[in-house]
Amino acid sequence: MRRIIIILLATITFVACNNDDGIDYSLLTLEEIATTNGGWDYLATHYEAFDYEQFVAMMTTGYFTVDCNEYVLTDKRWNHYLMIGTVTRHFTWLDAGTMRECYYLPEYMSDDFQSYYYYKDFAVTDKNWLHAVVNAKGENSRVIGLYKDEAILIEYENYYGQIIRLICRIHKEGQEELLSLYTTPRE
């Protein structure tokens, strides 16, 4: 009987160790949390709600970056993918109603085989700015929240009905350097 109890306890312990709910997320990086089963649920419930005005105020000296990584919900698990054919983009507010998108286009991707640091300005409001950031890739775009004032967490649904999430890194300083580097306008 004692062996059965020990085997039963060992089995329970093994199952508990494989349960993602027992993970100490505070020891993980944001990218590790995002690829852990249950990690996005943790992020959505443990970090700040998004306040548009507060975020725009933070961007008066800084910017945020949308890189080439996305997290896709497949088979009840978040999987990390590198978006092929995209470039890293940076966004900042020039004023309360104007956002600037900055991106580097290497020579092999440009029309005249020159490298360019492009920018594009567009009018935004608290209702349409996120659509510009996800680049009209999908529907139902929303901000999940802020992660420690280090990243903004975004979700949208792509054309195939998949839920996609993005991590946009926040840079609280550096807007001036960003604007001085990206000097070629693009429509």
Side-chain angles (χ1 to χ4, degrees), residues 25 30-47 69-73 77-80 142-145 147 151-155 163-168:
Y25 291 107
L30 178 55
E31 287 75 15
E32 290 170 336
I33 294 171
T35 56
T36 302
N37 192 25
W40 278 101
D41 295 332
Y42 167 79
L43 290 171
T45 58
H46 284 80
Y47 287 97
N69 295 290
E70 65 183 11
Y71 299 85
V72 181
L73 183 60
R77 210 170 163 82
W78 291 100
N79 295 296
H80 172 254
R142 70 182 186 100
V143 174
I144 297 169
Y147 174 78
I152 182 172
L153 309 171
I154 295 175
E155 174 183 275
I163 302 299
I164 310 293
R165 289 189 173 165
L166 303 171
I167 297 172
C168 303

Side-chain angles (χ1 to χ4, degrees), residues 33-178:
I33 294 171
T35 56
T36 302
N37 192 25
W40 278 101
D41 295 332
Y42 167 79
L43 290 171
T45 58
H46 284 80
Y47 287 97
E48 301 174 34
F50 179 77
D51 182 289
Y52 178 77
E53 285 79 23
Q54 177 186 3
F55 187 65
V56 172
M58 188 188 317
M59 294 297 103
T60 59
T61 59
Y63 62 97
F64 67 98
T65 300
V66 180
D67 64 17
C68 301
N69 295 290
E70 65 183 11
Y71 299 85
V72 181
L73 183 60
T74 55
D75 299 324
K76 298 182 182 181
R77 210 170 163 82
W78 291 100
N79 295 296
H80 172 254
Y81 293 99
L82 182 64
M83 294 184 282
I84 306 299
T86 61
V87 295
T88 299
R89 298 172 299 134
H90 311 285
F91 291 89
T92 191
W93 272 264
L94 301 178
D95 57 49
T98 309
M99 180 183 264
R100 178 169 285 184
E101 175 185 11
C102 300
Y103 57 96
Y104 172 74
L105 200 57
E107 61 215 26
Y108 64 88
M109 293 179 78
S110 69
D111 297 333
D112 58 1
F113 300 104
Q114 300 292 317
S115 295
Y116 290 105
Y117 289 90
Y118 286 115
Y119 74 86
K120 180 180 178 183
D121 295 342
F122 43 92
V124 292
T125 66
D126 62 338
K127 305 283 187 265
N128 73 352
W129 74 276
L130 186 55
H131 191 66
V133 171
V134 298
N135 204 17
K137 292 178 184 172
E139 300 295 323
N140 305 320
S141 303
R142 70 182 186 100
V143 174
I144 297 169
L146 292 176
Y147 174 78
K148 299 181 182 179
D149 284 343
E150 295 175 17
I152 182 172
L153 309 171
I154 295 175
E155 174 183 275
Y156 66 93
E157 184 179 329
N158 71 8
Y159 298 119
Y160 305 108
Q162 293 175 306
I163 302 299
I164 310 293
R165 289 189 173 165
L166 303 171
I167 297 172
C168 303
R169 288 289 180 183
I170 296 171
H171 312 276
K172 293 181 184 175
E173 301 294 327
Q175 184 190 63
E176 190 175 308
E177 291 84 1
L178 181 78

